[in-house]
Every structure is written in C-alpha cells, then in structure tokens.
Amino acid sequence: MPSAIVSNALSAAQRGDIVGAARMLEIGAAGGDGEAAFVLAEWRLAGTAIRRDLGEARRFYGRAAELGIAEADAIYTALLANGAGGNPRDWESALNRVRQQARHDPLVRAERDLIEAMDLDPDGNPAVLPQTHLLNSTPAIRTVKGLLTPAECRFLARVAEADLQKAIVIDPRTGQARRHPIRTAESAGYPFVRERPVLHAINRRIAAVTGTSYEQGEPTQILSYRPGQEYRLHSDAIANEANQRIATVLVCLKDDFEGGETVFPRLGLAWRGATGDALHFLNVDRTLQPEPLAWHAGTPVTSGHKIMLSKWVRARPLDLSGPPGRPL
Ligand SMILES: O=C(O)CCC(=O)C(=O)O
Ligand SMILES: [Fe+2]
C-alpha cells in the first residue's frame, strides 16, 4: 500500500496534473515520507513524467535512503560512487556507506572486503595496472592476464546468477531491443543505478587498462553460456552511430567450460582466457568506421559454464540526458 501522499500524487498525475503531483511528492519527501522521495527520484531518473535531472534524482534517492527505503540506499550509493549524469563523484562517501551496510548485509561485507583488497587512489582509480600483450595489430587486439582477481570474478558471477535474464540485442532496423537467436547466452545488465561500488572500481580499472575514460563505457553486462549457447559472428560497432562503439572488453569470470572460445574468423584468431583474464579489441579503423576484420563470435559452449563480463566502449562519454525512459 502506497502512503496517502503517494496515492494522492499518483491520482493527480493520472488526471494530468503532473506539476501538482510532483509538488505533493516534494512536500511529502520534505516531511519525512520515504516513498514520496523514492517516487520523485524515479521520475527524475526516467524523465518521462517530468524532466530528467540526475542531480535531483540522486538527491531524492539520498532522502529516500535516509528515510529507510532499502532500494534507494543501494541506488544512492551507486550514484555517489559513479557520479552518473555529471554529478560530482564522492567515492569516499560511497565507501563509507558500503562499510555501514556491510554490518548487516553479508553480500556487502564481501564487497567491502574486495574493495579493501584493491590498491586504489582516493578517487577509486587503480594505483597499478597489469601489463597488456598485443595479439594483433590491425585491428588492435590485446590480452591482459589477471585483470580481475579470482575472488572478484566469483563475486560478480554470483551476483549475476541472480540477475540473469534472457539476452537481448538491438534490432538494427527498428532500434528496438528484442530477443534474437544471434545471442543465445543469458545476460545481466548493470546500468549506473545498479553499479555497486565494487563493480565501479572494476569498471575504472577496465577504463584505465584500455586507455579510455570511465564515462566512455556502456553499462557492464555479464553473459552466461550453458552448453549449446553462443554469440554468433557479429560486429560490436553500430551502423550510423555518431558516438561509435570503438572497443570491446571481455573478461572471463568462470573458465570451467569446453568450447566457447572467442574467435575472429577473418583474422584466424581465437582466444580462451583463464578466470580473470581479459581481451580488449578495437571495432573501428583509424577513421572510426566499423572495422570488418573485427567481426567476432563466442563459439558454442560444449560443456560446463562460461561467464563473461562484456563492456562496450564509446568514442566519447555516453550521453545520459535522454531520450526519456532510456535505461541508464
Ligand atoms: O562471449 C564471447 O566470447 C563474445 C562476447 C561478445 O562478443 C560481446 O559481448 O560483444
Ligand atoms: Fe561482441
């Protein structure tokens, strides 16, 4: 049952009085109604009923968290850690919140231990980076041994198992996300509101090792392949996209499988990493046009379970301003 203020606000919105509804929610939030604060935060995030404003969204998630809404708590921590939407990051506060939540949440305790084992600067950037090895020069394909620790991989795989949904791909004709047999793996996506601090620190490491900024990275996906599942030959570049997907980073999170190699048939290359190893490749040529030689596939797994972290990296920072309702 929503609170009276939230019920009234939702009725007002249904009658078309969005401004009145938002005002009611604001008054409710100021007066200590956590649900009102949460609904307002969601509206500010989605940008459908009212204008998207990620700064305001973060403020109201913070208020809702303060008023005891558990879901808001995790989102607020994520937004402090990553600064999505150009809001100032506050890594130290995000870490303090993790330490606080670790007291009563075993998963957050594991997260805290992983972060504390990392060698990070005060902003959450890695102090040291592993070496990369050049596998192919044009397009550049690099491998990184042990980019993630086995414990980090186990944590991400465990979190993802709970979140897996049937994989989707973007239909190039309609721009709509839909299921497609090109990718039979299941996937879990981690948009900015669900990017817990340990994943954020890992994403900063991925950015650093690939010489890109964190803000160029699309939300991380975790792919799970069971026997028979695959990701058929494809390009990660997008046709007619101004902010092109210039690169892809794959990290092997679970390596007890047969088959399932990542292959570049046009280059005669195949990669199979151990847990924690990464593959980083460019999808474009020097003029940022899609590079046909970078077409690749995840071949069918024949036995066991393959879990991969996958990150697509844009030419420039991702634009989080719109359109309304777009998943962030
Ligand atoms: O799982 C693989 O080996 C390939 C994954 C992939 O191509 C992608 O995520 O874009
Ligand atoms: Fe791909």
Side-chain angles (χ1 to χ4, degrees):
M1 270 281 286
S3 72
I5 292 174
V6 170
S7 301
N8 288 341
L10 294 181
S11 314
Q14 243 159 28
R15 290 194 308 271
D17 181 13
I18 303 291
V19 173
R23 193 165 303 136
M24 277 183 230
L25 292 173
E26 225 164 297
I27 293 167
D33 185 325
E35 273 179 57
F38 187 70
V39 172
L40 199 49
E42 297 272 292
W43 283 14
R44 281 298 189 198
L45 177 74
T48 32
I50 52 178
R51 187 173 50 83
R52 171 172 295 150
D53 184 329
L54 296 181
E56 284 289 279
R58 181 163 106 180
R59 192 160 76 80
F60 283 107
Y61 281 123
R63 178 72 177 142
E66 197 175 72
L67 294 168
I69 306 285
E71 204 183 335
D73 211 76
I75 298 176
Y76 184 56
T77 303
L79 293 176
L80 283 175
N82 62 30
N87 299 302
R89 293 182 57 226
D90 188 347
W91 177 247
E92 194 48 48
S93 296
L95 280 192
N96 285 334
R97 295 177 68 82
V98 167
R99 291 186 193 112
Q100 205 68 35
Q101 288 158 10
R103 293 191 187 158
H104 49 85
D105 184 333
L107 189 67
V108 181
R109 202 168 307 141
E111 172 172 30
R112 178 202 62 194
D113 293 347
L114 289 175
I115 297 172
E116 279 175 0
M118 294 177 185
D119 192 357
L120 299 178
D121 74 9
D123 288 327
N125 292 309
V128 284
L129 285 176
Q131 291 219 319
T132 63
H133 168 77
L134 192 68
L135 196 63
N136 191 68
S137 51
T138 314
I141 304 179
R142 293 184 168 81
T143 57
V144 191
K145 274 219 83 56
L147 180 62
L148 268 64
T149 66
E152 288 166 349
C153 293
R154 275 196 302 277
F155 181 91
L156 293 182
R158 173 176 159 205
V159 167
E161 297 244 27
D163 293 333
L164 289 170
Q165 298 163 3
K166 282 281 173 221
I168 47 157
V169 291
I170 303 291
D171 186 315
R173 284 161 309 166
T174 63
Q176 296 290 306
R178 64 178 174 86
R179 284 184 196 171
H180 194 288
I182 192 172
R183 189 165 93 179
T184 54
E186 297 190 333
S187 78
Y190 295 90
F192 304 103
V193 286
R194 301 195 55 224
E195 187 192 28
R196 39 166 78 246
V198 67
L199 178 57
H200 181 66
I202 287 170
N203 285 333
R204 297 194 87 79
R205 192 185 311 159
I206 290 174
V209 86
T210 57
T212 56
S213 72
Y214 162 78
E215 288 75 15
Q216 284 170 256
E218 288 188 41
T220 294
Q221 298 182 66
I222 296 181
L223 310 176
S224 156
Y225 300 79
R226 298 280 184 182
Q229 295 185 321
E230 64 181 319
Y231 198 158
R232 289 192 195 143
L233 189 64
H234 66 281
S235 164
D236 292 332
I238 312 169
N240 306 316
E241 170 61 48
N243 190 9
Q244 191 52 266
R245 266 186 198 151
I246 55 170
T248 300
V249 184
L250 302 174
V251 186
C252 177
L253 299 182
K254 194 168 192 287
D255 67 1
D256 63 342
F257 62 89
E258 303 293 329
E261 287 183 311
T262 307
V263 296
F264 296 81
R266 295 169 185 173
L267 298 169
L269 284 174
W271 177 75
R272 163 80 213 246
T275 297
D277 294 352
L279 184 72
H280 164 220
F281 53 91
L282 293 190
N283 296 307
V284 292
D285 62 19
R286 256 189 247 109
T287 64
L288 296 189
Q289 293 308 303
E291 167 59 83
L293 294 175
W295 280 58
H296 57 280
T299 62
V301 166
T302 53
S303 69
H305 188 193
K306 166 179 164 181
I307 305 185
M308 281 286 239
L309 178 154
S310 168
K311 189 158 203 72
W312 291 321
V313 182
R314 300 294 183 118
R316 295 186 302 282
L318 222 55
D319 176 9
L320 301 184
S321 63
R326 175 172 125 176
L328 294 167

